[in-house]
């Protein structure tokens, strides 16, 4: 009987630890989101969709620049 109680106690403690782990992970995720938002604000970016748009524009400009360089090289 004592062994069964020990297993039950261990299972209970394990479940409590799992719940604590989940809570800590949620807290970490929330803090990361807050930090990311503050970093975006520091750069004058309102939200992630604006950042995505800026990245797309930058990528498009880089691609156009590379294409122009290739066209100039082909002309020589």
């Amino acid at each position: 009987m004592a062994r069964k109680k020990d297993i039950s106690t261990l299972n209970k403690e394990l479940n409590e630890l799992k719940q604590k782990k989940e809570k800590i992970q949620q807290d970490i995720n929330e803090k990361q989101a807050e930090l990311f938002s503050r970093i975006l604000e520091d750069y004058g970016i309102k939200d992630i969709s604006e950042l995505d748009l800026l990245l797309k524009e930058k990528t498009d400009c880089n691609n156009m620049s590379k294409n122009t360089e290739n066209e100039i090289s082909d002309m020589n």
Side-chain angles (χ1 to χ4, degrees):
M1 185 71 173
R3 180 171 163 79
K4 184 171 183 163
K5 184 176 180 183
D6 288 339
I7 291 172
S8 176
T9 302
L10 289 173
N11 281 334
K12 190 177 194 179
E13 290 173 0
L14 178 62
N15 288 334
E16 289 172 0
L17 288 172
K18 285 179 181 179
Q19 289 175 349
K20 286 180 183 180
K21 179 186 172 194
E22 289 174 12
K23 175 68 173 127
I24 290 169
Q25 189 60 53
Q26 288 174 343
D27 290 346
I28 289 170
N29 292 344
E30 289 172 8
K31 296 296 182 194
Q32 285 177 333
E34 290 171 15
L35 180 59
F36 189 68
S37 291
R38 281 190 283 182
I39 291 170
L40 289 179
E41 286 175 14
D42 287 348
Y43 285 94
I45 299 170
K46 295 174 191 148
D47 58 23
I48 191 72
S49 61
E50 186 177 350
L51 178 61
D52 286 340
L53 181 61
L54 290 170
L55 290 172
K56 184 182 180 323
E57 289 174 0
K58 177 68 175 163
T59 301
D60 290 347
C61 285
N62 286 344
N63 288 340
M64 287 191 307
S65 176
K66 287 178 186 175
N67 289 341
T68 302
E69 288 175 10
N70 290 341
E71 289 173 7
I72 291 171
S73 293
D74 290 345
M75 294 170 112
N76 293 333

